[in-house]
């Protein structure tokens, strides 16, 4: 692989590729570690991602939710129904237009998102620590090799 440097990032293409690999593998690892937590609460991944969106906003309209999630309004309504039944969010009508349905996350929903974010942060820290240990071991091996080479000269 060509080891060119991008002027915008000052990273070599190999470094960018390593970062892409880290993102892919850490994402998979984090999702797998989320699985038991989400299964226990009967929340799907798309429903969890909806909760994370709602945790960042005061409220969202049903059409905004459908657009953000890349779903039809009917599919978004089904997700909202399930999460409301579980107590993770509430629906209400907009004051300015009573035909418009708005959705807000509950404290219970916020607690679930916070717990999952903590789990993801812990998982990422563990993954990064493993990479850090591997880098340190690699540096130690290179140092030993250099010293061995100098000793033989």
């Amino acid at each position: 692989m060509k080891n060119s440097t991008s002027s915008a990032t000052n990273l070599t293409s190999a470094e960018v590729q390593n970062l892409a690999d880290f993102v892919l593998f850490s994402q998979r690892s984090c999702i797998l570690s989320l699985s038991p937590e989400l299964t226990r609460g009967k929340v799907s991944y798309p429903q969890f991602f909806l909760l994370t969106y709602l945790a960042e906003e005061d409220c969202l309209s049903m059409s905004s939710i459908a657009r953000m999630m890349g779903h039809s309004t009917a599919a978004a309504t089904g997700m909202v129904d399930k999460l409301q039944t579980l107590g993770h969010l509430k629906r209400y009508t907009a004051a300015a237009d009573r035909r418009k349905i708005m959705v807000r996350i509950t404290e219970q929903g916020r607690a679930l998102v916070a717990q999952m974010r903590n789990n993801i942060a812990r998982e990422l820290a563990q993954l990064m620590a493993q990479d850090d240990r591997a880098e340190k071991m690699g540096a130690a091996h290179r140092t030993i090799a250099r010293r061995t080479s100098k000793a033989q000269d």
Side-chain angles (χ1 to χ4, degrees):
M1 172 181 275
K2 187 177 175 186
N3 204 21
S4 64
T5 302
S6 166
S7 61
T9 62
N10 292 327
L11 295 175
T12 65
S13 56
E15 290 169 327
V16 171
Q17 185 62 47
N18 286 340
L19 182 59
D21 288 344
F22 175 79
V23 168
L24 289 172
F25 290 113
S26 62
Q27 179 186 26
R28 180 182 182 279
S29 179
C30 289
I31 294 279
L32 289 174
S33 72
L34 284 176
S35 184
E37 293 295 327
L38 294 181
T39 301
R40 189 173 326 137
K42 298 182 173 72
V43 176
S44 69
Y45 294 123
Q47 290 166 343
F48 173 69
F49 293 128
L50 171 56
L51 286 173
T52 63
Y53 287 137
L54 287 167
E56 299 300 318
E57 302 290 334
D58 180 41
C59 62
L60 290 171
S61 68
M62 289 299 293
S63 58
S64 294
I65 290 170
R67 195 171 33 258
M68 285 174 43
M69 298 297 293
H71 295 307
S72 67
T73 305
T77 299
M79 289 175 47
V80 168
D81 287 345
K82 173 80 186 269
L83 290 169
Q84 185 172 9
T85 299
L86 292 171
H88 296 305
L89 54 81
K90 288 195 180 212
R91 234 187 275 225
Y92 61 96
T93 57
D97 182 353
R98 301 209 32 93
R99 295 171 295 171
K100 192 172 188 177
I101 303 298
M102 304 300 290
V103 179
R104 178 174 285 144
I105 193 168
T106 63
E107 286 306 311
Q108 180 181 328
R110 285 188 191 283
L112 178 64
V113 170
Q115 178 186 3
M116 293 301 102
R117 281 186 172 151
N118 288 338
N119 291 350
I120 290 169
R122 185 177 57 251
E123 183 74 21
L124 281 174
Q126 290 170 352
L127 286 169
M128 290 167 62
Q130 290 170 0
D131 284 350
D132 198 32
R133 282 193 295 272
E135 281 182 32
K136 288 176 184 172
M137 290 300 292
H141 286 289
R142 288 189 298 277
T143 301
I144 291 168
R146 274 196 312 273
R147 289 185 178 168
T148 302
S149 173
K150 286 182 183 178
Q152 292 175 353
D153 288 341

